[in-house]
Amino acid sequence: MSLSQFLDVVLPSDTSLNMPSATDLHIDKAVANLLEPQQIEEFLFILNNVAQEKFSNSLSSLDEKSYLLCIEKAKRVDVYLVNYIVQQCLTAYYTHPSVLTKIGSGAVPPFPDGNSLESDDWLLLEDVYERGPIYRKVI
Amino acid sequence: MTAKVDIIIVGSGASGAAAAWRLSQDSNLSIVCIEQGRESNPAQYPTTKADWERDKQRSASFDPNVRANKADYPIDNSNSAISLANFNGFGGSTILYSGHFPRFHPSDFATYKLDKVAEDWPFDYQTLTPYFNQNEEMMGVAGLVGDTAYPEYENLLPPVAMGRGAKKLAQAFNRLGWHWWPSYSAINTKNHQNRPPCINLGPCNTGCSQGAKGSVDITYWPQAKLQGVQVMTECRVFDIPVDKELKATGVKYYDKHGDEQFLAASLVILACSGIGTPRLLLNSKSELFPNGLLNNYDLVGRNLMLHPLAYVEGVFDEPLDTSIGPQGCSIYSQQFYETQEDRGFKRGYTLHVLRGSSAVDSACSGYITRRIPLGKNHHQAFSQYFNHNMGIAVISEDLPDPENRIELDYSKTDSFGMPGIKVHYSLHENTKKMLEHGIEQTKKLFAEAGAKISAAHYPVKHAGWHLMGTTKMGADKTNSVVNEHGQAHEVSNLFIVDSSVFITSGAVNPVATAQALTLKFCDHISKNIKSWVV
């Protein structure tokens, strides 16, 4: 069981939304740069143990539903580590320029152009203005 | 280095910068600013890279314990409902702030007179008005005149675009008959003071690489330096010696090599923030002040005010590009700012409309709250949340309480061996009622706008940005640390010009008021400079 296989399960592709999988983008390498090797080893060790205890099977042979259940159960062993690893995977995925473009996050750094926002209709403030001052005067 | 200078300013943040600029208008004065952090390079801010959100979790974190730079000092938040946030570097916390820039209101200076809570300030809103105006010109503040929550404004740049999400909320505010207005934002919306307009990159809170946000390293400081102020970065002041005549003789500091130095001065001005200033005073012990400088009445570090926040988030069915634009500046409401007895609490709060969360924040918070699953349904759930969500912060007025305080923590020291701080802070019943009321009203607003509530809680733990009250101002030296000019009661050539001197907190971001106060104090110093500088 590798980090890459883990990423395949938690961040698969979605063709209907044109979203690539984490492994399509080699996110495992980015995640590896964010984590200590021991953290990854320990995390996978915990997951494998949970798979054995819960399903009497290896993690890699589980279906998606069972796999995701293992992640939930693994939180009971070390919630800090599991959440930390998952969040680092999400961070690596959602900082990839290709992903940022596909989700519509606007201009991607180094920001040559910036983002445009539509002009506002400040006539909306007429109602507020017509009600008059609301601050307390100090006399 | 000259053996003695006229004025030393400790701290280069919002107030230190304004003080340096104002006082250096007198070209006869020699002024040195000592700053514990380094100068930032906007070309290296996280937002110049696609993976900027990684740095937000580390080097650009607003939590000094996470950031752990050489300039940072340890903060023990274990006995505090709220964790403190700051940035220690040239420009101070304005480097990482959102730029939300409202003033205090007239009633904020008279809470006892109006509501029989806390104490009144020794001057009123009108007295500060010329300094508010001057400061807004320097910082570059966008907004719109005619706001019914304030007396008239001057010097405003065109407002920051509110965005499609805030427009939905604005229409809901109108249907409910509630106040709202474009935010006062220290963000250029056109060229101003040789800085460009904002192009809506968004993540202002990791430093504005474009230079549109008014952080003081690019507003006050270039002019102050031109006027002759010398800045010494990476130097940490740890002691303010006082002679037998109760005069500060200068400051002791560690230079960037860690060597102890002394710089003499005729006048010492502190602008190290609501926690940095009391920390330095408490560490400056002597025979005359065995419990810390200016602390013979056990007041230094007490009355810490933080603006406890509630956070409510709504999610719209349709995509509204909510993540696009300056994160902390859009629109705001002060419908519930002033006391109304039937609400069951004194004073009030601001509803601060935020933009939607960023990609990483959306994914991570969605995972933690189980709103966005892992696996094959992940992308669908993410797509229905990201760019659909908006947050509203309920910013409550925090009334002063001597038990809310910081003290030195000798068990954890900074990179120079100076003690860190321990925070003791809890919420008043009045504040809790206020925040609960704010959450209910915000839910009503989101419902009116057609959004579903996805989060609502208080207090927001990691939100202790607004640091106020720890060396309060007043007339009585047994009940206050400085007088109405920011001058220490007990050491006449020592001034405190930052938000430490606030008597009450208002319910808005404090920096506009802190800087106006700095300019007022420095006006007094400048007019009376011969009292201290021969």
Side-chain angles (χ1 to χ4, degrees), chain B residues 75-96:
Chain B
I75 298 178
D76 181 348
N77 295 300
S78 60
N79 193 34
S80 175
I82 296 171
S83 297
L84 305 194
N86 68 6
F87 182 71
N88 297 306
F90 183 66
S93 296
T94 66
I95 301 295
L96 298 188

Side-chain angles (χ1 to χ4, degrees), chain B residues 146-178:
Chain B
D147 188 351
T148 55
Y150 281 100
E152 199 58 88
Y153 260 73
E154 292 178 15
N155 297 335
L156 293 172
L157 302 169
V160 170
M162 66 172 131
R164 291 163 59 203
K167 185 176 178 183
K168 300 269 280 186
L169 292 176
Q171 290 164 333
F173 274 120
N174 280 351
R175 288 195 293 275
L176 292 168
W178 293 358

Side-chain angles (χ1 to χ4, degrees), chain B residues 302-355:
Chain B
R302 293 190 179 273
N303 298 300
L304 173 68
M305 297 177 281
L306 296 175
H307 287 154
L309 298 186
Y311 180 76
V312 184
E313 186 184 76
V315 181
F316 292 93
D317 287 338
E318 68 270 45
L320 294 168
D321 293 333
T322 55
S323 72
I324 307 289
Q327 215 283 328
C329 294
S330 173
I331 63 173
Y332 84 109
S333 170
Q334 294 192 326
Q335 180 65 30
F336 306 101
Y337 198 87
E338 308 286 3
T339 300
Q340 192 170 308
E341 295 294 342
D342 62 4
R343 290 183 192 143
F345 54 84
K346 299 279 191 180
R347 309 298 298 154
Y349 56 85
T350 292
L351 297 179
H352 180 180
V353 175
L354 307 167
R355 310 236 177 210

Side-chain angles (χ1 to χ4, degrees), chain B residues 33-49:
Chain B
C33 175
I34 303 181
E35 164 57 52
Q36 63 194 343
R38 292 188 301 176
E39 195 154 353
S40 299
N41 178 358
Q44 293 175 349
Y45 281 157
T47 48
T48 57
K49 298 173 290 182

Side-chain angles (χ1 to χ4, degrees), chain B residues 81-405:
Chain B
I82 296 171
S83 297
L84 305 194
N86 68 6
F87 182 71
N88 297 306
F90 183 66
S93 296
T94 66
I95 301 295
L96 298 188
Y97 80 152
S98 68
H100 201 240
F101 216 78
R103 302 173 178 179
F104 273 24
H105 296 68
S107 73
D108 293 326
F109 299 90
T111 58
Y112 186 78
K113 182 175 185 178
L114 293 173
D115 296 319
K116 297 289 178 283
V117 291
E119 296 170 36
D120 293 341
W121 291 47
F123 42 81
D124 60 12
Y125 179 91
Q126 289 303 116
T127 308
L128 268 189
T129 299
Y131 303 104
F132 277 129
N133 289 337
Q134 188 176 38
N135 188 53
E136 285 150 9
E137 172 66 18
M138 287 299 294
M139 294 294 284
V141 177
L144 197 63
V145 297
D147 188 351
T148 55
Y150 281 100
E152 199 58 88
Y153 260 73
E154 292 178 15
N155 297 335
L156 293 172
L157 302 169
V160 170
M162 66 172 131
R164 291 163 59 203
K167 185 176 178 183
K168 300 269 280 186
L169 292 176
Q171 290 164 333
F173 274 120
N174 280 351
R175 288 195 293 275
L176 292 168
W178 293 358
H179 169 269
W180 67 277
W181 207 257
S183 286
Y184 299 94
S185 314
I187 293 174
N188 274 6
T189 47
K190 64 176 187 180
N191 283 315
H192 180 73
Q193 301 271 21
N194 297 317
R195 293 187 293 112
C198 175
I199 54 171
N200 303 310
L201 302 180
C204 317
N205 297 95
T206 54
C208 177
S209 53
Q210 187 221 344
K213 186 183 79 174
S215 52
V216 294
D217 58 323
I218 56 172
T219 59
Y220 277 109
W221 271 117
Q223 293 192 42
K225 286 179 176 176
L226 280 174
Q227 289 168 181
V229 180
Q230 184 185 352
V231 182
M232 294 163 45
T233 56
E234 298 181 78
C235 295
R236 175 166 277 145
V237 176
F238 66 92
D239 186 26
I240 304 167
V242 175
D243 64 19
K244 288 178 181 167
E245 281 73 46
L246 290 174
K247 294 278 175 20
T249 57
V251 302
K252 289 183 181 175
Y253 66 97
Y254 295 111
D255 66 19
K256 63 176 69 176
H257 307 296
D259 296 328
E260 187 177 323
Q261 308 284 355
F262 173 73
L263 180 61
S266 301
L267 198 57
V268 176
I269 294 176
L270 302 186
C272 321
S273 88
I275 55 171
T277 291
R279 176 179 181 239
L280 173 56
L281 291 172
L282 291 170
N283 199 52
S284 299
K285 291 178 178 165
S286 63
E287 280 185 25
L288 292 166
F289 295 99
N291 300 314
L293 187 55
L294 313 181
N295 197 32
N296 286 346
Y297 295 95
D298 190 21
L299 290 166
V300 173
R302 293 190 179 273
N303 298 300
L304 173 68
M305 297 177 281
L306 296 175
H307 287 154
L309 298 186
Y311 180 76
V312 184
E313 186 184 76
V315 181
F316 292 93
D317 287 338
E318 68 270 45
L320 294 168
D321 293 333
T322 55
S323 72
I324 307 289
Q327 215 283 328
C329 294
S330 173
I331 63 173
Y332 84 109
S333 170
Q334 294 192 326
Q335 180 65 30
F336 306 101
Y337 198 87
E338 308 286 3
T339 300
Q340 192 170 308
E341 295 294 342
D342 62 4
R343 290 183 192 143
F345 54 84
K346 299 279 191 180
R347 309 298 298 154
Y349 56 85
T350 292
L351 297 179
H352 180 180
V353 175
L354 307 167
R355 310 236 177 210
S357 51
S358 62
V360 169
D361 283 351
S362 294
C364 289
S365 73
Y367 162 71
I368 292 293
T369 59
R370 299 171 191 271
R371 191 185 309 122
I372 301 176
L374 302 173
K376 65 180 180 344
N377 294 324
H378 173 82
H379 296 290
Q380 192 64 43
F382 181 88
S383 71
Q384 288 168 356
Y385 177 70
F386 178 67
N387 271 339
H388 293 60
N389 72 78
M390 292 194 71
I392 293 180
V394 180
I395 305 178
S396 65
E397 173 151 359
D398 198 6
L399 294 171
D401 177 350
E403 293 309 308
N404 284 339
R405 67 193 192 280

Side-chain angles (χ1 to χ4, degrees), chain B residues 443 453 507 528:
Chain B
K443 284 181 175 175
I453 299 299
N528 298 280

